[in-house]
Amino acid sequence: MNLELCKHKAAEAALDYISLGDVVGVGTGSTANVFIDLLGRIKGRIDGAVASSNETKRRLRELRIPVLELNQTGVLPLYVDGADEATKHRYLIKGGGGALTREKIVATASEIFVCIVDYTKMVDVLGAFPVPIEVMPMAQSSVSRALVGRKGWPQLRTGFTTDNGNVIVDVRNLDLVDPPAEESHLNNIPGAVCNGIFALRPADVLISGNENHADLYR
Ligand code: 5RP
């Protein structure tokens, strides 16, 4: 299968959720980039976009889409972003690109979160993909110890700094049978700024793209 085509099918279907005059929250990653390109073609219909990363901001500006700050806009009608893993219950793992904190902020500040993935991201249970955690640099060791305490296998993402000046620790082997519960536990580790489980605020609509069509879960 042509994965670019699958991403395109999902991103194209997300355009249906845009209303005239919306300010659209925009995610980060290769699938979100396909959506940004499509957004560029209909930019006359929207008032602007809120970016979830510096890279997304740069791409939006390149297409001359007005970029607004979340503090100016208040609640957004729509957020569109990709994911590293997704279940049909619309639970996600995100943060493969390291933008999870801003992504979770914008998703939580949006009325509708439309997640767009190619079909290879669909799983029955989350967890084959390691959970990214954004961590304040001074807390890297203490957070890693807390993760080992939860039976996790943490690994520092070497040579990577987030847009917020933090590091990413990728964790395997967490128990993700109950994603909202694990997300809550991880939220309570001091120094862990944000974790990549999106279950307390799942996607409202999940669009899984194939070459010929897109499947919708809502
Ligand atoms: C970035 C993300 C991305 O949405 C996730 O990594 C998926 O990226 P891609 O669409 O390139 O597979 O969470 O932080």
Side-chain angles (χ1 to χ4, degrees):
M1 281 238 204
N2 179 338
L3 280 191
E4 279 311 303
L5 201 53
C6 300
K7 290 175 193 190
H8 192 273
K9 279 281 171 217
E12 201 173 34
L15 293 178
D16 289 347
Y17 293 84
I18 297 176
S19 300
L20 192 68
D22 274 355
V23 174
V24 181
V26 182
T28 299
S30 60
T31 317
N33 288 345
V34 176
F35 177 73
I36 293 171
D37 288 342
L38 294 175
L39 207 53
R41 296 188 200 166
I42 58 137
K43 63 185 173 201
R45 280 168 43 193
I46 62 170
D47 278 2
V50 170
S52 63
S53 66
N54 293 340
E55 174 58 16
T56 290
K57 199 178 278 187
R58 189 189 66 72
R59 282 176 177 268
L60 289 166
R61 287 195 172 133
E62 211 169 68
L63 293 174
R64 304 205 186 291
I65 297 170
V67 176
L68 306 171
E69 294 300 324
L70 192 59
N71 285 326
Q72 296 173 265
T73 61
V75 175
L76 299 176
L78 177 66
Y79 178 60
V80 179
D81 196 0
D84 299 296
E85 272 188 354
T87 72
K88 63 182 181 195
H89 302 292
R90 292 170 277 107
Y91 292 149
L92 315 170
I93 291 181
K94 291 186 44 53
L100 62 153
T101 301
R102 295 188 191 190
E103 290 173 341
K104 201 177 270 192
I105 291 169
V106 185
T108 304
S110 298
E111 280 164 354
I112 300 178
F113 172 14
V114 175
C115 181
I116 50 176
V117 294
D118 66 72
Y119 75 99
T120 64
K121 306 291 185 67
M122 295 299 298
V123 295
D124 289 331
V125 181
L126 298 177
F129 194 91
V131 177
I133 305 195
E134 179 161 354
V135 177
M136 290 180 64
M138 71 163 288
Q140 185 202 316
S141 300
S142 58
V143 168
S144 295
R145 280 195 295 277
L147 293 167
V148 170
R150 297 202 59 73
K151 307 269 184 271
W153 304 334
Q155 186 168 21
L156 178 69
R157 201 180 290 183
T158 47
F160 186 86
T161 304
T162 71
D163 286 350
N164 312 308
N166 295 314
V167 297
I168 297 281
V169 173
D170 294 301
V171 198
R172 295 184 185 277
N173 203 46
L174 290 172
D175 181 357
L176 296 180
V177 169
D178 182 352
E182 190 58 25
E183 184 179 357
S184 296
H185 281 298
L186 299 178
N187 280 344
N188 283 330
I189 302 176
V193 177
C194 187
N195 66 78
I197 304 172
F198 282 54
L200 295 169
R201 200 284 177 248
D204 299 298
V205 180
L206 172 64
I207 305 177
S208 167
N210 291 277
E211 269 185 353
N212 304 314
H213 71 284
D215 293 318
L216 251 70
Y217 303 88
R218 56 186 158 198

